[in-house]
Amino acid sequence: MSSSPIIVALDFPSEKEALELVSQLEPGRCRLKVGKELFTRSGPELVKKLVKQNFDVFLDLKFHDIPNTVARACQAGADLGVWMINVHAMGGKKMLEAAREALPTGANNPKLIAVTVLTSMGADDLKEIGLNNSPADQVKHLAALTNNCGLDGVVCSPQEITLLREDLDPSFELVTPGIRPQWSVTGDQKRIMTPAQAIEAGGNYLVIGRPITQADEPMVALEKIESELGL
Ligand code: C5P
């Protein structure tokens, strides 16, 4: 169990590479995110291994299906001992409520958060699927729905933090990727913030991949981010 706001994204094509990086990290100093690629390749056994090494694991599988199926998938994730699970808010109220019901707050259950609008989608992409709201309005709308269904928070881009903090409870948690320390390369991320800026704006957890995973010395990179955050 960690108290760190830093979640390291394990975006690796194989268990071997993921474990090599993990062997250089300390469970008290960061949490880990396992996404669709690594999970599809290496599956629940890898997740169990990470949990056994005392890491808090964010299972980033973005469940989106009928309520019963999502509830059961969430339960299956909880059975792996993960710390955080996410679903798509676009699955609607009944699906969000079913997920929450499967994983009641507390009771040693994982935190349950939702994805609103994928940051890869702009206004034109939303129109194409029949949504006439602007991305910002759609994000706000889905975050409010997520909050009303009792989930713990949403994934959002750093630029959305201020917008969402305007009218959501302070206890509603914001998990943000798109984080780049000043000293790191931007890569393909466009709308970015530094770790300190994102926390200052009201973010709770920072998903950070390449600045740590591709560093020559990942723990040194992590330390630099910790000191930027005053940890
Ligand atoms: O390497 P980098 O720090 O860009 O990794 C960010 C992580 O956050 C990746 O796992 C990426 O898939 C994820 N993510 C993102 N932007 C989003 C949602 C998730 O970068 N809007």
Side-chain angles (χ1 to χ4, degrees):
M1 193 67 183
S2 165
S3 59
S4 174
I6 300 166
I7 306 174
V8 179
L10 291 184
D11 294 322
F12 292 104
S14 77
E15 168 162 344
K16 186 171 170 283
E17 285 158 274
L19 289 178
E20 242 166 57
L21 187 269
V22 170
S23 70
Q24 300 174 64
L25 300 175
E26 293 171 29
R29 306 266 296 272
C30 61
R31 307 166 196 264
L32 303 174
K33 178 171 90 71
V34 174
K36 286 186 167 116
E37 181 188 11
L38 187 59
F39 188 82
T40 304
R41 290 200 184 275
S42 305
E45 289 312 313
L46 170 62
V47 173
K48 283 194 224 165
K49 267 186 208 166
L50 300 173
V51 171
K52 217 171 166 185
Q53 292 182 34
N54 289 324
F55 281 99
D56 284 350
V57 177
F58 169 17
L59 189 61
D60 179 20
L61 297 181
K62 302 184 182 70
F63 295 134
H64 188 176
D65 210 313
I66 59 170
N68 182 54
T69 301
V70 167
R72 284 166 177 265
C74 285
Q75 186 56 60
D79 290 346
L80 296 175
V82 302
W83 160 76
M84 180 180 271
I85 289 186
N86 61 359
V87 298
H88 263 287
M90 287 280 281
K93 183 166 182 260
K94 291 198 188 92
M95 192 208 81
L96 293 169
E97 286 174 347
R100 177 80 287 178
E101 215 168 289
L103 302 182
T105 311
N108 278 335
N109 276 324
K111 284 180 188 289
L112 181 62
I113 60 163
V115 173
T116 57
V117 179
L118 294 170
T119 48
S120 52
M121 298 190 84
D124 290 347
D125 301 296
L126 292 187
K127 249 194 207 116
E128 217 162 49
I129 58 167
L131 294 173
N132 288 316
N133 275 345
S134 69
D137 284 346
Q138 188 67 12
V139 166
K140 263 188 127 165
H141 184 84
L142 290 173
L145 177 69
T146 301
N147 192 27
N148 292 339
C149 292
L151 273 68
D152 300 304
V154 289
V155 182
C156 67
S157 84
Q159 276 68 25
E160 291 160 357
I161 297 174
T162 307
L163 179 83
L164 292 177
R165 277 285 169 242
E166 276 169 17
D167 33 41
L168 288 164
D169 327 332
S171 62
F172 193 69
E173 297 188 307
L174 304 179
V175 179
T176 69
I179 301 296
R180 285 291 176 271
Q182 237 143 26
W183 44 264
S184 68
V185 286
T186 311
D188 52 5
Q189 292 281 15
K190 290 201 177 72
R191 290 170 297 138
I192 51 174
M193 275 193 191
T194 67
Q197 285 169 336
I199 295 288
E200 174 73 11
N204 299 93
Y205 297 102
L206 311 174
V207 175
I208 307 179
R210 287 161 290 181
I212 294 174
T213 60
Q214 304 301 311
D216 290 338
E217 295 178 278
M219 271 315 277
V220 172
L222 184 65
E223 261 164 38
K224 281 206 253 179
I225 296 168
E226 286 172 339
S227 77
E228 183 182 336
L229 293 173
L231 297 175

